[in-house]
Amino acid sequence: MSETTSTPQVGAAGMVSDRDPTDAPVMIHLDGVEKVYTPGAAPAVEKLTLDVHKGEILVLVGPSGCGKSTTLRLINRMIEPTAGRIIFDDEDVTDIDANELRRRIGYVIQRIGLFPHQTIAENIGTVPRLLGWDAERTRKRSDELLDLVGLEPGIYRDRYPKELSGGQAQRVGVARALAADPPVMLMDEPFGAVDPITRDRLQNEFLRLQAEVQKTIVFVTHDIDEAVKMGDRIAILRERSVVAQLDTPARILSYPVDDFVDDFIGSGSTLKGLHFERVSGLQIPEYPVVRRDTPREEAGRILDMSDFRWLLMLDERGRPARWLNETHLADTSRPLHEVGPVVRAMVERNATLHDALEAMITSSAGQAVIVHRDGTYVGVVQIELLTEVIGRMRREARKHYEELEATQAAEQRAAGA
């Protein structure tokens, strides 16, 4: 098809999903966790209570120095908490040997940390070797993971880190973290050291990978756009890892709970929220349509009887062809099917409303045409429909927090009775 059609980008929950990540069992529970490096000094992490559910990507995002990376290091006991408890898969981490715990957790960092004197296969096999895997099992796992992250084993297994691009090295870092098939992965700004184009590609590849492996992931970033794209849920942190808001990206974008969150997510949050609604969920009103062989006079009557400024002409196969308005109908110098702007920007029914908005911006008529996968016409989306959706998202998010507040107040009253 020569016309441009848009399909949605995939996010952690497919960008658009009815799945509630909190329906799954809790995999990691932080209970009043604190970290104080120097007695008498302000804590780096202060009374942090947080649940991470099995199979979700929970993103910790906040300004530099707020304690995001410290929280990750507390989870895998690279540093010990000053107070509080960390429960990992129903076990208190202080009851588990620290080295054993870390072998159950994959760890990916911004600078990757590949061993320069080892081949790619040897780097990936680091934890399996520590666990006592034999050479053949380790080799097979290394090849399997290279293939999984999109690197041809026959080409890359015997290379050294210095022979890789930044994006390739980051893929190897992810493969190494997955080598022993850990149930949990901790990722500390894993895509922060590469250029924007490579970062976007790595993010997409990782989300595809997560759809297959379904790990429990705590992901640290300072970039709210990355958090929105990657997270099933987002915890926006103030200083000392104090949680300002913890919720799905859609609710946070629709209803920032205070000025700190509003300032942190920045302008354009409403438009970002359109990533979480699909065109297929809209109630599409009937739009005036004509065919290639519709007489000019009849097309004029159809436009006059409608409440719209434009007609949409379909070709002989029922595909959107041209936009027509009064000026085009009045142009008798050419056949009707040769006047009016060609319809080029279209979206399929499974596209997000953000895709639809982008199509509207490029459309001569300021409207998005919806098509089936074969290119045949479905309907037209107008800006008014998007405005209604944004209003609904805000109302639903506000209602959610009002109900949450009422529930918490009732629980406090019951506890004080």
Side-chain angles (χ1 to χ4, degrees):
M1 207 164 45
S2 61
E3 297 90 345
T4 301
T5 60
S6 298
T7 53
Q9 291 185 342
V10 177
M15 289 305 288
V16 187
S17 175
D18 294 327
R19 180 175 73 89
D20 185 346
T22 61
D23 288 341
V26 173
M27 188 70 178
I28 302 170
H29 172 63
L30 281 67
D31 183 12
V33 172
E34 289 198 1
K35 179 60 184 179
V36 179
Y37 285 104
T38 305
V45 175
E46 183 176 18
K47 296 181 180 178
L48 175 61
T49 297
L50 192 68
D51 287 336
V52 186
H53 293 262
K54 187 174 182 179
E56 78 164 322
I57 300 178
L58 175 67
V59 178
L60 307 181
V61 63
S64 298
C66 72
K68 306 182 295 292
S69 296
T70 301
T71 300
L72 280 196
R73 292 194 288 270
L74 286 166
I75 292 173
N76 73 351
R77 289 185 64 194
M78 292 180 68
I79 56 177
E80 299 289 343
T82 307
R85 296 191 311 150
I86 301 173
I87 307 300
F88 179 92
D89 200 14
D90 295 328
E91 292 183 88
D92 191 318
V93 299
T94 59
D95 296 333
I96 307 172
D97 176 78
N99 289 325
E100 179 190 342
L101 172 68
R102 291 179 199 129
R103 290 169 189 168
R104 294 162 58 186
I105 298 175
Y107 199 58
V108 184
I109 60 176
Q110 180 175 349
R111 296 296 174 181
I112 310 166
L114 299 179
F115 301 120
H117 61 287
Q118 293 184 353
T119 66
I120 300 309
E122 289 169 340
N123 266 282
I124 294 173
T126 300
V127 174
R129 286 196 304 274
L130 291 173
L131 294 174
W133 290 20
D134 62 54
E136 180 61 17
R137 182 184 178 193
T138 302
R139 185 193 65 78
K140 286 183 177 179
R141 180 61 172 164
S142 175
D143 282 359
E144 174 189 340
L145 288 169
L146 281 171
D147 188 60
L148 192 63
V149 299
L151 297 175
E152 173 60 45
I155 297 175
Y156 291 96
R157 73 163 74 91
D158 295 323
R159 289 188 180 181
Y160 287 86
K162 66 181 180 181
E163 300 176 90
L164 303 180
S165 69
Q168 290 167 347
Q170 199 64 63
R171 291 182 181 92
V172 174
V174 171
R176 184 175 64 178
L178 289 167
D181 199 21
V184 169
M185 293 181 67
L186 306 180
M187 307 185 73
D188 193 353
E189 304 220 33
F191 311 128
V194 294
D195 64 88
I197 294 174
T198 302
R199 182 182 307 124
D200 184 65
R201 186 180 303 120
L202 287 171
Q203 289 168 345
N204 291 338
E205 289 177 358
F206 183 78
L207 291 170
R208 173 192 58 77
L209 184 64
Q210 168 65 356
E212 294 182 36
V213 299
Q214 288 292 297
K215 301 297 182 183
T216 302
I217 298 170
V218 185
F219 187 111
V220 162
T221 182
H222 66 278
D223 182 348
I224 187 62
D225 290 330
E226 182 171 57
V228 167
K229 179 174 182 177
M230 302 301 293
D232 292 301
R233 290 190 303 151
I234 299 173
I236 298 181
L237 304 180
R238 308 178 195 272
E239 290 186 359
R240 306 177 187 179
S241 278
V242 174
V243 177
Q245 188 170 2
L246 170 60
D247 214 322
T248 62
R251 282 205 192 106
I252 288 175
L253 293 173
S254 296
Y255 194 76
V257 295
D258 59 23
D259 290 341
F260 174 83
V261 175
D262 196 28
D263 289 342
F264 188 81
I265 63 179
S267 60
S269 62
T270 298
L271 298 184
K272 294 172 188 174
L274 293 176
H275 280 296
F276 301 93
E277 296 283 335
R278 289 197 189 276
V279 169
S280 58
L282 295 174
Q283 294 293 325
I284 306 296
E286 186 174 349
Y287 196 85
V289 171
V290 295
R291 298 281 175 172
R292 177 187 171 97
D293 58 356
T294 301
R296 189 182 299 269
E297 295 74 15
E298 183 179 347
R301 285 195 298 272
I302 292 172
L303 182 60
D304 290 341
M305 294 175 61
S306 75
D307 296 324
F308 300 95
R309 294 175 50 245
W310 295 85
L311 291 174
L312 181 64
M313 175 180 283
L314 307 181
D315 68 14
E316 60 276 2
R317 294 172 58 185
R319 299 174 303 180
R322 292 183 180 271
W323 290 107
L324 302 172
N325 60 21
E326 288 182 349
T327 301
H328 303 125
L329 294 175
D331 181 3
T332 59
S333 64
R334 291 174 293 167
L336 195 57
H337 64 267
E338 293 181 3
V339 299
V342 174
V343 178
R344 298 191 184 279
M346 293 173 276
V347 294
E348 295 181 9
R349 287 178 57 82
N350 68 333
T352 69
L353 296 193
H354 196 277
D355 296 322
L357 178 62
E358 290 182 339
M360 288 180 188
I361 293 171
T362 62
S363 168
S364 302
Q367 301 170 99
V369 181
I370 312 166
V371 294
H372 293 294
R373 295 193 68 178
D374 63 1
T376 55
Y377 172 73
V378 175
V380 173
V381 181
Q382 299 174 283
I383 192 66
E384 290 80 8
L385 284 176
L386 302 193
T387 303
E388 291 174 9
V389 170
I390 289 170
R392 173 180 58 76
M393 292 172 66
R394 287 175 172 170
R395 290 191 299 273
E396 289 176 351
R398 184 183 301 111
K399 180 180 178 183
H400 168 79
Y401 281 102
E402 288 172 351
E403 291 175 348
L404 186 62
E405 185 176 342
T407 299
Q408 292 172 342
E411 289 174 348
Q412 290 173 356
R413 289 194 298 270

